[in-house]
Amino acid sequence: MSRARFPAPDPGAPATASPVRYLVWLATRHRGSLALATVLGVLCTLAQALVPAAVGLGIDRGLLQRDRHALLLWGGAVLALGVFQAVVGMLRDRASTTNRFGAVYGTTQLVVRQAAELGAELPRRASAGSVVSVSAMDIGHLGIALEGTARGSGAVVSILFAAVFMLVTSWQLGLLVLIGVPLIAGTVSRLLRVLHARQRRLREEQGALTDLSVDIIDGLRVLRGFGGDKVYGRRYREGSQAVRAEGARVADTVAGIAFLRVLLPGALLVAIVWLGAHQVATGRLEPGLLVAFYGYAVFLTDQLGQVTTMLDQLTRANVAAARVLDFLRLERELPSGTRPLRDDGPELPLHDPDSGLTVPPGRLLAVVCGSDGDARTLAERLCGYTGSAVRRGETLLSAHRTDDVRRHLLLADNDATLFAGRLGAELDPRGCRSEADVLRALDAACARDVADALPDGLAHEFTGGREVSGGQQQRLRLARALLADPPLLVLVDPTNALDAHTEGRVARNLGPYRAGRTTVVFTTSPIVLDRADAVVFVKEGKAVAEGCHRTLLADPGYRAVVTREVLA
């Protein structure tokens, strides 16, 4: 399928007023292929709808009257309709697939763009479970709904055609169809609304359970340390049972709809055949037309199924669109400034008035915090991830454009993800570094052995960290941060998973590698602290002491933090 058939790469601004408007917006983005698929869908089902009429005429005018010419004529018509239906159906499915993937890819672009816009605020604004649910499930429902409109539209037109044909031929049978079809559609629609509500509740409970499972997996080692794994295990079982019960209620509703999809059209079929047979017996209807009516009854059963399937798909898409819009409507709490921040000018000191911490330019500064929470808070504040009065020189950091700040200041912590793909491309996502630069960064992070141990080295197809240990992942993350070479690099506990020997080598390499650049390391490791140009001690969110590591050891509070002593 040609890429030119899809819309431009930029999906533009979506309509977010309501789920229905968003679905209409998706449809208008593919109006050409959607119109083509709809026309082809109508032609395909109309060809199928003409087959029973052609068969009935063949029986009445050819078989019963023993007219070979008429029999061949109408038999040829049935063959031609079958061939036409097959060709047009293939083209319809091709256009429908274009619509499906166009909707999926377009919405995926919007979701990814929104995630990139939210940046570091994403974990605080949306749970991991909700993001996974939107990406893995809801987007697919939008594509399926757009794909199914061609078959559903054709089914609606064919039902109207069959009803008119039967009404003209026998007004009693036509009236029966015109009354029966809306009743069936209305009954199924009411059940679909119930299904809609239950599916929404199931989605919410599935998202909450996914969040809980992510928390358990991330903290399993810590939970086992104090017996919390049993508590969280019980919570997961309870949540899983709640999801199972809600899933069973959804399944009951789906089963009821499936049952009625067979029962109600089947009852209509029986009524049509009984009334038609009575009219044949009284001479008001020809036998061939009775066969045609029977064919239309079977045909209508299938087409009613197509209509209810389309309604079900649209209902699911409405639920999915609401969840997608909930994500797309999230706004950043921190607006971007307007002032540019240039990387080619002199580096200026960074000062946080709330804590009293000042980061001098061009130096390796270590920060020791009395609690891990202070380290995280200060790191995010210095890099502009939270609202603060941090200044770069005389200018508020928040006054600069967010994109410039992200390019100038890099925060690297142990929550950073190693993505799957070629290792060299993962370490240098922009692809602007030479292999020698990559190897130099690996050497500085003492991660050269990790790359050498992989079968293809830097060309190895990395699985995202599952094939290396926690310490090896940490060294690879550090190498990636060093290779980015930002003017100001903030590292949070970059060596806490390393043995003392490896940690010492990293500490020796870090200063020379970042020479002339500003580096802030939040750590309590004496090995790293001893290599820093200066150390700041932060207690209860305030910078209370500054100096070299050996001098600050005279402070009992500082010494207790870095040596893990217990103060009396």
Side-chain angles (χ1 to χ4, degrees), residues 19 133 138 193-207 246 250 315-324 326:
S133 178
D138 295 320
R193 284 195 290 270
V194 176
L195 179 63
H196 180 176
R198 291 184 176 178
Q199 285 175 334
R200 180 182 290 275
R201 288 196 296 269
L202 178 61
R203 289 280 196 281
E204 293 172 352
E205 294 187 6
Q206 285 175 331
E246 191 61 42
V250 171
T315 300
R316 291 173 182 267
N318 188 67
V319 176
R323 291 175 59 86
V324 170
D326 288 341

Side-chain angles (χ1 to χ4, degrees), residues 191 194-195 198 202 244-260:
L191 282 177
V194 176
L195 179 63
R198 291 184 176 178
L202 178 61
R244 182 195 62 78
E246 191 61 42
R249 284 190 285 271
V250 171
D252 287 342
T253 308
V254 171
I257 293 174
F259 172 73
L260 291 178

Side-chain angles (χ1 to χ4, degrees), residues 85-110:
Q85 179 188 350
V87 174
V88 174
M90 178 185 64
L91 297 176
R92 174 203 60 195
D93 291 343
R94 183 180 176 88
S96 297
T97 302
T98 300
N99 297 330
R100 175 180 181 177
F101 286 111
V104 168
Y105 293 149
T107 304
T108 300
Q109 285 178 289
L110 292 172

Side-chain angles (χ1 to χ4, degrees), residues 204-281:
E204 293 172 352
E205 294 187 6
Q206 285 175 331
L209 187 63
T210 302
D211 290 339
L212 180 60
S213 64
V214 170
D215 292 340
I216 293 174
I217 293 171
D218 289 343
L220 185 59
R221 184 174 300 175
V222 177
L223 290 172
R224 283 177 173 171
F226 60 87
D229 55 324
K230 295 181 180 179
V231 175
Y232 275 84
R234 184 172 65 253
R235 290 182 185 177
Y236 184 84
R237 284 193 297 273
E238 293 172 354
S240 178
Q241 289 304 310
V243 171
R244 182 195 62 78
E246 191 61 42
R249 284 190 285 271
V250 171
D252 287 342
T253 308
V254 171
I257 293 174
F259 172 73
L260 291 178
R261 282 178 177 173
V262 176
L263 176 65
L264 297 180
L268 181 62
L269 168 65
V270 171
I272 291 173
V273 173
W274 179 86
L275 183 58
H278 177 71
Q279 290 186 352
V280 169

